[in-house]
Amino acid sequence: AKWGIKLTLIIGLLLQLVSYSLLFAWDDSWDKRTAILYVTMTQMFAGIAKDLTKLGGKTVTKLVTPEEQNTRLFKLVSLITGWKNSLKGVGYFAGSALLNVSYEAALSSMMVIVALALPWAILGLDKNLGTAKKQGSTATSWRQVFAFDNKNLNFLSAARLFLFASRDFWFEVPLPFYLRSPGCQGLGNPCNIDADCVRGAVCQAIDVIAGGGLGNDNAQSTVQTVCQNLQVGGGCGGLGLNRTLVGAFLGGYIILYGQVQSWTPQLVTGPLNQTPPNKLTEILWGVVNCLPTLVMSVVMAFSPVFRTSTVDGSDGHDLTSMTAWFITIIVTFAIIFAINSSIHSFLVVKYAKSDKVAVSVGFYYMSNACGRLFGTIGSGILYTYVGEYYGEYAGTDGTAGLAACFLAGTVCSIIAALITVRVDDDNEGLKCGPYTLVQPLASDEPENGDEEG
């Protein structure tokens, strides 16, 4: 509100370049604590950069759309948000592929892409675009940012926190680890070549001390090759995919997610007579959002397809069936979650006050970031500590850990839907195609959401 969209966007792009530059200093010799702290600091700058850039894109939709044209606003917000996410998915593809060339090549390519956007932001935008118009309103203070006078925006922001936690409890950290992790069976057993081990595991030499230990004069050290999990911290029980395939898996999800977002008004809510959406529309889709993660949690916890992945199991885990389950659930979730996110993105712009739209959208995305942080940290704890520990060559049972993460995501989806109930925006009722699920209120009553927005 104070700086305007142009300066906000330029700062965001420059911060993104700074975060990429910091990653060039990575040193493989760092201990785990140093590496985690450094990556976390770098990710902090990248996260700020991303949200500053998103803030500009989301704010401008409100500024260029007349107040009463909510359907047009919904389509514009969905289009911009969806294509943004699809391009992010392309970044996953490109990054994972370029890592096969070199780490430096991947970073350099991304920096070039960001740098190409800078001239457009510097030369193509009006410096006054997005600044507060009312006299004295440019002096935005922290007290104004955290002013809780917009009831609808506050509840929607709280719901957004749990909505994105419902995805990040399993997607951001546990899923990539699990997709790369080998099956648990046979890890620690003798081998001659990698082909003797399950997919994703390697046959490596270890020193075996015999004869009473190193303190004993009769102790002897022999070399033995055994099947090992190279990423013990990522657990075992997964598909054993290489880095490029995992990147393709995640990139495909995000591209699909983005495209569904872009076309939600035309292909989903429009045919269902739910355009423009209201709080009842979001509650409906929020409840549906619980289903894929709940099903996957139950399947991973109880299905023999996944639960045969034990160190001493003789059957092994069924990679084909596991892959089919993951593709089915992740594609289904991507579609449903994209519809939810598209509706959310429209509602926040609708509820935002016109003279403080940047502040309102910024507060909303702060909640979004808190939800992602909550989901990421929580998923790390669940994935690491829920599964049984199978030894130094295998790690923990990643299947049990990921099942717990899917269940946590389900709980977050339910909480998000319950919080949305408190939003005051149901005058238009709720339809599902030709059927009316909730009758609209009298047409002469004003809509509270528009009053606050």
Side-chain angles (χ1 to χ4, degrees):
K2 182 177 181 180
W3 296 345
I5 291 175
K6 179 175 182 177
L7 185 57
T8 301
L9 183 58
I10 292 172
I11 293 174
L13 292 173
L14 291 175
L15 270 178
Q16 190 67 63
L17 291 175
V18 169
S19 63
Y20 282 138
S21 301
L22 289 172
L23 288 174
F24 275 104
W26 173 267
D27 189 341
D28 289 336
S29 66
W30 286 343
D31 60 68
K32 183 181 293 187
R33 181 177 181 181
T34 301
I36 292 174
L37 289 174
Y38 190 84
V39 170
T40 301
M41 178 192 68
T42 306
Q43 183 64 30
M44 176 188 71
F45 285 115
I48 294 172
K50 185 191 75 169
D51 280 347
L52 286 175
T53 306
K54 284 199 306 183
L55 176 64
K58 198 62 64 71
T59 300
V60 75
T61 60
K62 179 84 168 182
L63 301 175
V64 301
T65 306
E67 190 73 27
E68 69 280 359
Q69 295 187 13
N70 283 328
T71 298
R72 179 182 174 186
L73 178 62
F74 181 35
K75 292 179 178 179
L76 184 58
V77 170
S78 298
L79 182 68
I80 291 177
T81 306
W83 276 102
K84 179 265 296 181
N85 283 316
S86 289
L87 289 174
K88 187 165 65 175
V90 173
Y92 268 89
F93 271 120
S96 60
L98 286 168
L99 280 174
N100 290 325
V101 179
S102 75
Y103 175 74
E104 291 75 14
L107 289 178
S108 299
S109 299
M110 297 301 172
M111 291 185 72
V112 169
I113 293 172
V114 173
L116 289 174
L118 269 172
W120 297 91
I122 295 172
L123 303 175
L125 293 177
D126 185 346
K127 67 178 181 180
N128 295 317
L129 181 65
T131 56
K133 302 299 182 183
K134 291 184 179 180
Q135 185 177 3
S137 61
T138 56
T140 304
S141 64
W142 284 107
R143 180 176 297 179
Q144 289 174 294
V145 172
F146 291 99
F148 299 106
D149 58 345
N150 190 330
K151 172 188 172 184
N152 283 355
L153 183 66
N154 294 335
F155 282 120
L156 189 69
S157 297
R160 180 78 169 192
L161 187 155
F162 286 99
L163 177 66
F164 269 74
S166 74
R167 181 193 67 179
D168 288 352
F169 250 108
W170 58 270
F171 181 78
E172 289 292 342
V173 176
L175 182 63
F177 273 121
Y178 190 79
L179 293 178
R180 292 209 67 193
S181 69
C184 298
Q185 71 275 15
L187 295 178
N189 291 351
C191 59
N192 295 313
I193 57 175
D194 290 348
D196 295 333
C197 307
V198 293
R199 187 170 71 181
V202 294
C203 184
Q204 284 196 334
I206 60 171
D207 289 330
V208 178
I209 307 299
L214 290 174
N216 192 317
D217 293 337
N218 295 323
Q220 294 181 344
S221 176
T222 59
V223 176
Q224 182 179 348
T225 53
V226 298
C227 294
Q228 298 185 47
N229 178 2
L230 283 181
Q231 301 183 55
V232 176
C236 63
L239 301 181
L241 303 180
N242 60 43
R243 183 185 290 113
T244 302
L245 286 176
V246 172
F249 211 100
L250 302 181
Y253 164 91
I254 296 174
I255 291 174
L256 173 63
Y257 161 65
Q259 287 304 296
V260 174
Q261 272 188 307
S262 297
W263 296 101
T264 290
Q266 291 85 354
L267 300 181
V268 181
T269 58
L272 291 176
N273 291 323
Q274 296 173 354
T275 296
N278 58 15
K279 81 96 174 279
L280 296 174
T281 314
E282 173 52 31
I283 293 173
L284 172 65
W285 287 102
V287 172
V288 175
N289 197 64
C290 305
L291 300 180
T293 50
L294 177 61
V295 170
M296 196 60 179
S297 175
V298 173
V299 170
M300 293 191 73
F302 301 106
S303 171
V305 170
F306 286 90
R307 296 314 303 168
T308 51
S309 304
T310 56
V311 173
D312 56 355
S314 57
D315 296 331
H317 56 318
D318 188 344
L319 292 176
T320 302
S321 297
M322 290 170 65
T323 303
W325 269 110
F326 272 113
I327 292 175
T328 302
I329 292 297
I330 290 175
V331 167
T332 303
F333 183 88
I335 293 171
I336 298 171
F337 187 78
I339 297 169
N340 276 278
S341 184
S342 182
I343 296 171
H344 255 257
S345 295
F346 161 72
L347 291 179
V348 65
V349 178
K350 175 186 174 183
Y351 298 154
K353 296 180 179 179
S354 298
D355 61 322
K356 290 288 185 179
V357 61
V359 173
S360 299
V361 174
F363 176 75
Y364 175 79
Y365 274 117
M366 182 176 63
S367 298
N368 184 96
C370 289
R372 301 195 67 175
L373 178 64
F374 171 54
T376 302
I377 294 176
S379 67
I381 295 173
L382 290 177
Y383 189 73
T384 302
Y385 295 107
V386 168
E388 180 183 352
Y389 182 66
Y390 288 145
E392 60 179 323
Y393 303 121
T396 58
D397 180 3
T399 300
L402 187 55
C405 292
F406 274 116
L407 181 59
T410 303
V411 172
C412 286
S413 293
I414 295 172
I415 294 174
L418 291 175
I419 293 174
T420 309
V421 173
R422 300 296 303 276
V423 174
D424 186 10
D425 179 25
D426 52 3
N427 288 356
E428 299 301 320
L430 176 64
K431 291 185 176 181
C432 188
Y435 303 102
T436 299
L437 304 182
V438 179
Q439 290 291 339
L441 301 180
S443 58
D444 58 341
E445 296 182 21
E447 188 173 340
N448 292 333
D450 284 337
E451 286 182 345
E452 294 187 329

